[in-house]
Amino acid sequence: MNVAFYQGKTISLSTYERELWQALYLASLNNKVTCIHCHMPVQLQLSILEPPTFKHSQLTDQCLEAANEMEKRLQQPEHDTTQVANGFQLPKSRTISHQHKNRPSHVWKKPEYVEAIPPFQAIQHTTNGNLSGYRKELYQRGIHFDESQWEAVTTTEGPVMILAGAGSGKTRVLTARAAYMLTELHYSPKKLIMVTFTAKAAKEMKERMATYPKMNQSLLNQLMIGTFHRIFYKILLHHEPKRWASSLLLNMDWQRQAILKSAGREIDIDEKDFAYDQALTQISLWKNHMLTPELVKTTNSWEEKILYLYKRYEAIKKENQSFDFDDMLLGAYDLFKKHPDILSRYQRRFTYVSVDEFQDTNKIQYELITMLTKSNNLCIVGDDDQSIYAFRGSDPSFMLHFDQAYPHLKKVLLNQNYRSSHEIVSTAHNIITSNRTRFQKQLIAQQHSEQLPLMFYPFNQEEEATMIVQDIKQKVQKGHQPNDFAILFRTNTAARALIERFIQSSIPFQLEMDGESFYKRRTVRKVLAYLRLAFDENDTKALTDLVGALFLKQEVTQEVKSLSITEDCSFIDALAKVNGIQPFQQRKLRALPAKFDELRRLQPYEAIVFIEREMGLADYVKKQGNEGNKMDRGSDDIKDLKEVAKLHESIEGFLQYIDHMTAKFEEFRLQRSATNAVQLLTIHRSKGLEFKHVYLIEAVEGGIPHDYALEALRDGDKQPLEEERRLMYVAITRAIDTLSISIPSKRRGKQVQRSRFVREMNQLSTRKLTHRGGTST
Ligand code: ATP
Ligand code: MG
């Protein structure tokens, strides 16, 4: 039914402001929305496939009739609120609230399917009848290989490059190839190195291999398999155990940041207001490019500051004899350069090297791997369309130009996709063919599905999250397993609403992301500091943040604390009494107590607007905008925070909600081992993985492609947009059975355009590569 009673008013979903649906949904979870006839609680259903409705646990005919009657009456231009409707009388005081004006984004829109799919042509596999030997044994265990795959498995000597699209069995081939060398060719496991992109991938490969014929655990235990870092760190530890003792590793971000901060103080960078996390990323990027501080060429003042920090960071590490993750690879490179005898020992030992996900190799990794493989028995595997780590220095051209380093390179192209339906593969293909810098390849799906990729249209992020959670809940009730589902997002901040809805649901979920809770982000903390101090005058943490936001030196915090004791007043009143600062600052501080009085009277959303406009936050954010980087803007965080604020009526309630969500976030992030749980992960982390059902959120301009790429495009740089397109490709190709793409109408409170990639995927690619016999361009 469409009508219910809420906050003393009768409301109808056909006219109720869409912006308020989420608050209504949350209220209905707390039994605060009731049936207009029997007054029993009703729940608002916001699902992907069905129009919204109030669900009634004990629906009677009378309830339904009353609701229908009321709905009809509400449709009439003038309705008499005192009339009797099927025995139910609407009191005069019960008004119809929050009517919208039928703007398109405010009306629930039916989901649509991607229909730009070429006809599917079934493929007849002819080879399987006359298999023999090892391949037959594998086949009998359900591990199949097509001709090209088998060629790659058995080409063990010389340089080989397997270049192929997503889901074509690249990782399976690498696994089988190693097993083949161990159990068929009886190579010693000590001769093999297998580089994987993540530790998880290494573990999965070993597990897969354990199921292969004639394999035994002792062979697997001797195998050198893992990430670049793991493998080269092991080598370092062997030769220079003291220098590389794990106790000297700067394992955590905060440890590395602490060094940068101490260096930052030397040039008067304010610790609280400098994006040290971004500085670390930049330093790491330089190191991955093998650029020592002397080789770095800066292009702006932000980079100049970081270069200073970089120099000091390296010097301080040297003094402390500590090292970071990047040093592991650089250290191994130095070791080999300084000790050719050690290098040649490894060259003689590791005669069979393979690297998965080679498209994301960076300079130092490329140098190390080519240095090590003198035997030339190197097998690299990758898909240039899935190169998504440019920000860490990865560069697919190492792969695409590999034949320059290895002129006798054998190239194997795999062209069947064994993971996804034809409909999903075609959708991904429609998008990726718009990229200019790529190696064209075929990808032919094995089966087709009745289920076309779905596009659905929530109002905003909040509704998006609710719809997905409800959809999964319904499917789990029907027998699906939670770990059949994955929800992919472009950035951690995009997942805020989603994480919160999962926390509120009973569905088990696992969060795979780095970074802190949204509410602990620098700018968000500043806004919250104002709100907290408005209600807790002695919140010392909030005071520290507020002092930063007001551009005061951190020493002022101490002075305010002392003044609050000697003058027996609140921190806010003490701030107004601070001396020894610039007159304009003093004027600002003197006005604060009255402003805080005003702030206390406001609702959360209005309060944030007030803090921005009247209490100096806008200035702070502006300064951050200059300092910060394009990936991560403080002003965006405030916009996101305002969206949460809209769901709350009091500042105290808002802060309680935030504290609860922050605590829960930490709890879930630590809980790494959840089994059978819905996976929430960034697209970056989903690389190489597959899930039966995939949801991709925020497919809008600014979401994916990310704002920073659009900005680069406006400045004439197309590369970031191409990388975003690859990210979209990776996301889509994770799906085995179903793919649901969310296209919200609003983002950060503003109307947004659907992603250009959505437009592309709805246009049949002119390069018809998805069926056998298609032309390879
Ligand atoms: P990505 O590009 O995402 O890393 P990939 O090319 O490494 O993908 P795999 O993960 O190895 O692909 O394989 C994709 C899926 O297809 C897996 O479930 C794998 O077991 C299955 N698969 C691979 N080859 C075959 C085959 N010949 N017959 C049946 N299934 C296969
Ligand atoms: Mg793979």
Side-chain angles (χ1 to χ4, degrees):
M1 53 199 222
N2 238 0
V3 177
F5 191 65
Y6 174 52
Q7 289 185 326
K9 291 163 190 157
T10 298
I11 55 169
S12 160
L13 288 173
S14 40
T15 50
Y16 196 66
E17 263 304 330
R18 182 95 179 252
E19 180 125 56
L20 304 172
W21 284 13
Q22 191 57 35
L24 183 64
Y25 167 77
L26 295 174
S28 79
L29 291 184
N30 293 324
N31 295 337
K32 287 186 178 156
V33 185
T34 54
C35 170
I36 60 164
H37 180 73
C38 70
H39 309 294
M40 292 299 284
V42 291
Q43 222 200 71
L44 177 60
Q45 298 287 297
L46 282 173
S47 71
I48 290 179
L49 295 173
E50 301 296 326
T53 177
F54 290 111
K55 193 175 151 205
H56 197 310
S57 56
Q58 288 150 354
L59 184 68
T60 64
D61 287 348
Q62 285 91 334
C63 298
L64 203 56
E65 272 172 37
N68 288 344
E69 188 64 32
M70 180 58 72
E71 174 73 356
K72 257 189 243 154
R73 205 130 44 83
L74 296 180
Q75 302 294 340
Q76 291 162 12
E78 294 290 326
H79 50 265
D80 177 357
T81 50
T82 59
Q83 259 183 17
V84 177
N86 269 0
F88 174 74
Q89 185 154 14
L90 185 68
K92 266 186 177 160
S93 61
R94 294 182 178 186
T95 52
I96 309 300
S97 72
H98 298 300
Q99 299 210 17
H100 69 73
K101 300 170 203 80
N102 275 338
R103 277 163 279 163
S105 64
H106 285 242
V107 179
W108 185 83
K109 185 175 165 194
K110 233 175 126 145
E112 292 168 307
Y113 294 98
V114 177
E115 286 178 349
I117 313 281
F120 175 70
Q121 299 187 354
I123 298 162
Q124 290 293 314
H125 284 288
T126 50
T127 51
N128 295 335
N130 25 14
L131 299 180
S132 60
Y134 187 56
R135 190 171 173 192
K136 187 172 179 185
E137 284 178 62
L138 287 168
Y139 185 77
Q140 282 163 345
R141 292 191 184 206
I143 310 166
H144 306 178
F145 294 91
D146 63 36
E147 292 307 319
S148 315
Q149 286 179 325
W150 192 247
E151 188 191 359
V153 169
T154 50
T155 309
T156 56
E157 315 303 305
V160 185
M161 173 168 86
I162 304 170
L163 178 61
S168 56
K170 297 184 294 300
T171 303
R172 178 188 271 216
V173 162
L174 273 189
T175 316
R177 194 171 173 275
Y180 176 76
M181 285 195 263
L182 296 179
T183 57
E184 285 304 293
L185 305 182
H186 303 291
Y187 290 173
S188 159
K190 294 213 163 85
K191 288 184 169 182
L192 272 63
I193 280 195
M194 298 174 74
V195 184
T196 59
F197 199 72
T198 59
K200 194 171 168 184
K203 188 167 162 262
E204 270 181 26
M205 264 191 170
K206 267 193 169 179
E207 283 166 4
R208 278 199 215 175
M209 253 191 266
T211 66
Y212 280 40
K214 299 178 207 141
M215 184 58 74
N216 65 57
Q217 202 55 44
S218 123
L219 281 178
L220 289 177
N221 290 347
Q222 296 175 66
L223 204 59
M224 181 75 117
I225 176 167
T227 59
F228 274 103
H229 284 96
R230 180 172 184 275
I231 290 171
F232 288 99
Y233 180 59
K234 254 187 133 173
I235 292 177
L236 284 175
L237 256 189
H238 181 73
H239 294 280
E240 298 173 343
K242 277 199 187 136
R243 162 75 186 93
W244 299 98
S246 61
S247 55
L248 301 172
L249 170 65
L250 300 168
N251 203 1
M252 311 297 288
D253 259 3
W254 64 262
Q255 293 173 305
R256 297 187 286 273
Q257 282 196 29
I259 298 185
L260 289 193
K261 284 175 185 171
S262 73
R265 281 193 288 274
E266 296 165 6
I267 51 168
D268 262 351
I269 296 180
D270 194 338
E271 183 174 314
K272 291 275 163 197
D273 298 317
F274 186 79
Y276 278 104
D277 47 347
Q278 300 307 327
L280 268 184
T281 309
Q282 182 60 53
I283 291 173
S284 175
L285 184 68
W286 283 330
K287 291 177 83 164
N288 285 326
H289 278 300
M290 302 180 78
L291 292 172
T292 54
E294 299 70 47
L295 296 174
V296 169
K297 293 206 173 33
T298 57
T299 52
N300 56 41
S301 66
W302 160 248
E303 283 185 1
E304 266 161 38
K305 274 187 199 157
I306 301 178
L307 178 58
Y308 176 85
L309 298 180
Y310 180 21
K311 278 184 199 147
R312 295 290 300 129
Y313 175 72
E314 292 301 314
I316 295 171
K317 271 196 299 115
K318 205 169 174 187
E319 274 165 39
N320 302 343
Q321 297 183 328
S322 54
F323 63 94
D324 65 15
F325 284 102
D326 300 324
D327 293 328
M328 292 178 181
L329 301 189
L330 292 165
Y333 183 82
D334 284 345
L335 177 79
F336 291 156
K337 281 273 168 199
K338 280 190 200 131
H339 302 280
D341 53 318
I342 296 182
L343 174 62
S344 72
R345 240 164 59 207
Y346 283 108
Q347 285 171 332
R348 282 197 305 276
R349 177 179 159 185
F350 293 122
T351 40
Y352 294 91
V353 177
S354 68
V355 188
D356 198 3
E357 307 273 5
F358 198 79
Q359 74 279 357
D360 275 323
T361 302
N362 60 35
K363 180 151 176 63
I364 177 69
Q365 292 168 336
Y366 177 81
E367 292 296 336
L368 278 172
I369 215 73
T370 46
M371 211 175 192
L372 198 61
T373 46
K374 201 166 172 224
S375 67
N376 278 350
N377 298 329
L378 170 64
C379 176
I380 64 161
V381 170
D383 175 5
D384 55 316
D385 289 332
Q386 295 187 65
S387 171
I388 53 175
Y389 278 93
F391 67 95
R392 278 205 214 150
S394 74
D395 185 349
S397 61
F398 290 127
M399 183 168 80
L400 298 178
H401 302 145
F402 210 62
D403 45 5
Q404 289 169 9
Y406 294 85
H408 302 297
L409 182 71
K410 173 166 182 167
K411 289 184 194 164
V412 180
L413 305 180
L414 308 179
N415 59 6
Q416 311 287 318
N417 176 299
Y418 292 95
R419 173 180 296 145
S420 317
S421 68
H422 166 70
E423 290 64 26
I424 290 169
V425 172
S426 305
T427 301
H429 174 75
N430 285 347
I431 297 171
I432 200 66
T433 47
S434 294
N435 265 2
R436 290 285 146 255
T437 347
R438 68 183 288 261
F439 183 84
Q440 300 287 350
K441 46 192 124 33
Q442 273 193 308
L443 204 54
I444 306 161
Q446 302 300 298
Q447 71 269 340
H448 90 111
S449 154
E450 295 301 319
Q451 192 79 48
L452 294 168
L454 181 85
M455 298 169 285
F456 64 101
Y457 306 98
F459 180 66
N460 56 14
Q461 272 197 320
E462 301 294 332
E463 226 184 87
E464 174 179 73
T466 302
M467 284 178 166
I468 293 175
V469 168
Q470 288 228 350
D471 199 54
I472 294 179
K473 208 172 197 168
Q474 281 165 4
K475 288 183 174 148
V476 169
Q477 276 162 3
K478 283 185 192 151
H480 288 273
Q481 294 302 313
N483 60 3
D484 287 344
F485 299 90
I487 309 166
L488 308 182
F489 35 87
R490 171 67 187 83
T491 59
N492 291 340
T493 37
R496 183 206 42 82
L498 194 69
I499 296 167
E500 292 175 12
R501 262 337 72 70
F502 267 95
I503 287 173
Q504 288 169 321
S505 81
S506 52
I507 309 171
F509 72 99
Q510 186 167 7
L511 202 55
E512 279 265 354
M513 64 184 248
D514 304 313
E516 75 258 281
S517 144
F518 171 73
Y519 301 110
K520 288 199 171 164
R521 290 165 69 85
R522 205 173 27 249
T523 313
V524 176
R525 262 192 356 245
K526 298 279 186 281
V527 184
L528 297 180
Y530 285 89
L531 298 177
R532 289 189 198 284
L533 280 168
F535 286 89
D536 179 357
E537 299 186 333
N538 301 315
D539 188 329
T540 39
K541 265 197 194 147
L543 174 67
T544 316
D545 281 329
L546 180 70
V547 162
L550 294 170
F551 300 115
L552 298 168
K553 290 222 151 62
Q554 279 304 322
E555 292 88 81
V556 173
T557 314
Q558 215 38 55
E559 194 181 337
V560 170
K561 282 184 195 162
S562 314
L563 275 171
S564 79
I565 298 167
T566 53
E567 304 275 319
D568 193 18
C569 62
S570 70
F571 287 160
I572 303 301
D573 289 334
L575 268 166
K577 296 178 203 281
V578 168
N579 284 316
I581 50 175
Q582 301 282 342
F584 79 93
Q585 283 183 318
Q586 204 156 34
R587 273 199 301 281
K588 231 165 56 181
L589 295 189
R590 295 228 164 108
L592 272 185
K595 297 240 158 113
F596 267 95
D597 286 342
E598 232 173 295
L599 184 67
R600 277 183 207 103
R601 290 195 288 272
L602 299 174
Q603 290 202 331
Y605 176 79
E606 285 75 30
I608 299 177
V609 175
F610 184 78
I611 292 168
E612 262 184 305
R613 296 194 187 150
E614 307 286 332
M615 297 181 82
L617 191 77
D619 292 340
Y620 168 79
V621 172
K622 224 190 248 165
K623 188 176 165 226
Q624 284 291 300
N626 296 338
E627 299 261 281
N629 86 4
K630 294 172 194 158
M631 283 300 289
D632 229 339
R633 287 213 172 87
S635 55
D636 288 341
D637 286 349
I638 296 186
K639 286 178 199 150
D640 282 334
L641 188 66
K642 281 188 198 160
E643 291 304 292
V644 194
K646 283 180 187 165
L647 301 174
H648 297 270
E649 283 167 10
S650 75
I651 297 179
E652 288 110 311
F654 180 48
L655 290 174
Q656 265 167 22
Y657 173 84
I658 287 172
D659 290 342
H660 175 66
M661 286 302 163
T662 314
K664 284 280 172 194
F665 176 87
E666 291 305 329
E667 212 175 284
F668 278 102
R669 215 163 50 132
L670 293 174
Q671 177 198 314
R672 285 255 170 239
S673 57
T675 51
N676 203 5
V678 176
Q679 303 291 308
L680 271 58
L681 66 178
T682 57
I683 302 175
H684 281 102
R685 283 193 174 237
S686 75
K687 206 165 71 135
L689 305 178
E690 56 189 28
F691 309 92
K692 273 194 177 155
H693 308 290
V694 167
Y695 299 82
L696 171 66
I697 66 169
E698 251 201 352
V700 295
E701 290 287 282
I704 182 163
H706 191 284
D707 282 315
Y708 100 94
L710 297 178
E711 208 165 287
L713 189 67
R714 283 193 287 275
D715 295 339
D717 181 2
K718 289 186 184 150
Q719 290 313 314
L721 184 72
E722 297 223 335
E723 177 129 332
E724 295 293 306
R725 198 175 270 115
R726 292 193 288 269
L727 274 161
M728 186 79 179
Y729 176 80
V730 169
I732 290 176
T733 53
R734 299 309 95 200
I736 298 173
D737 291 338
T738 72
L739 170 69
S740 309
I741 296 176
S742 167
I743 308 168
S745 312
K746 292 213 169 196
R747 178 168 183 256
R748 301 193 167 125
K750 282 212 172 118
Q751 201 74 30
V752 272
Q753 298 280 321
R754 65 184 181 157
S755 162
R756 65 190 64 204
F757 305 146
V758 169
R759 201 175 57 231
E760 288 168 10
M761 78 188 185
N762 281 293
Q763 287 163 3
L764 199 57
S765 169
T766 48
R767 295 198 164 98
K768 291 186 180 169
L769 297 172
T770 45
H771 57 83
R772 182 158 272 194
T775 46
S776 175
T777 46

